[in-house]
Amino acid sequence: MNNPVTKAVQPLGRFAAILCGYALLCLSIAITMEIVGRKLFAFSFQGIDDIGGYVLAVVAVTGAGYGVIMQSHVRIDIFLTKMPSFMQRFLNMSATVGMSLFSCFVAWRATRVLEESIEFGSRATNPLQTPLWQPQSLWLLGIYFFAAVSFLYAVHSVRLFISGSENLNRFYGPISINEDVEEELQAIASRKETAGS
């Protein structure tokens, strides 16, 4: 794609996605231990389900940011591809701006949630009695990542729209089936090369 914004943010996005993957792996191991402990030894680690909720909340919002980078958010393009190029550019730019406005609104409201948790010293109503600011801080960090990435794409798409660049449709339009297949074939070839060396 050669999108300069993607080139800049993709390494950070990949790192965040890998961290989230390891967090899910650790959560899976903890849940397995919890199940085995309950069934075989009548023993339970207190709060695994709550920790699971925290992990999933952080992974979801971080994944939303990574989804923006990888263009994996769902776009309905049944009519878009039949429209004139100018209209496609306008709608693709509007989509990035809309995503940015949504993510920035979520970040603003989530910041207020964290502020209230700190202000009132809120704790979870579970056996761990977790101070809510701790998981909420990680959650908010994921939301900020989502908002920052969305904002950068929105600014770039608006600049491309103003300049009349056709790259806007290439960078921010929905991925076609052919592009998706080609990308997957390149990924397979890359994995084969890595496995062969």
Side-chain angles (χ1 to χ4, degrees):
M1 281 285 190
N2 296 322
N3 186 332
V5 180
T6 299
K7 284 183 179 179
V9 298
Q10 194 167 31
L12 178 61
R14 191 180 308 276
F15 177 73
I18 290 169
L19 278 182
C20 287
Y22 278 118
L24 288 173
L25 178 63
C26 291
L27 177 62
S28 300
I29 292 168
I31 290 171
T32 302
M33 291 171 60
E34 173 79 1
I35 292 168
V36 170
R38 285 184 182 183
K39 291 291 182 187
L40 300 181
F41 307 108
F43 173 78
S44 173
F45 297 101
Q46 297 297 310
I48 293 294
D49 51 342
D50 298 304
I51 291 170
Y54 303 146
V55 169
L56 292 178
V58 173
V59 167
V61 292
T62 306
Y66 190 60
V68 171
I69 295 169
M70 300 307 293
Q71 286 189 288
S72 57
H73 288 280
V74 175
R75 296 274 303 273
I76 309 300
D77 63 348
I78 188 168
F79 299 115
L80 183 68
T81 56
K82 299 178 182 358
M83 293 181 177
S85 178
F86 173 82
M87 197 61 176
Q88 287 184 33
R89 287 201 325 272
F90 175 75
L91 291 172
N92 287 325
M93 182 265 300
S94 299
T96 61
V97 170
M99 180 70 85
S100 177
L101 290 173
F102 168 74
S103 62
C104 288
F105 175 77
V106 171
W108 170 60
R109 293 304 304 149
T111 301
R112 185 64 192 131
V113 169
L114 178 60
E115 287 171 353
E116 287 177 359
S117 292
I118 293 170
E119 182 181 346
F120 297 113
S122 302
R123 289 182 170 270
T125 57
N126 59 38
L128 297 177
Q129 291 286 299
T130 311
L132 287 179
W133 69 267
Q134 294 172 355
Q136 285 175 353
S137 295
L138 294 173
W139 173 67
L140 188 59
L141 193 62
I143 291 173
Y144 282 165
F145 171 68
F146 174 36
V149 167
S150 300
F151 180 76
L152 289 172
Y153 278 112
V155 169
H156 187 234
S157 70
V158 168
R159 286 182 62 196
L160 291 175
F161 182 75
I162 290 170
S163 69
S165 173
E166 287 299 322
N167 281 336
L168 195 150
N169 287 336
R170 195 161 60 89
F171 293 158
Y172 298 107
I175 297 174
S176 71
I177 292 172
N178 292 336
E179 289 171 333
D180 203 19
V181 169
E182 184 181 328
E183 196 174 295
E184 191 58 37
L185 290 173
Q186 287 175 353
I188 290 168
S190 176
R191 285 195 295 268
K192 283 182 181 177
E193 284 178 18
T194 305
S197 59

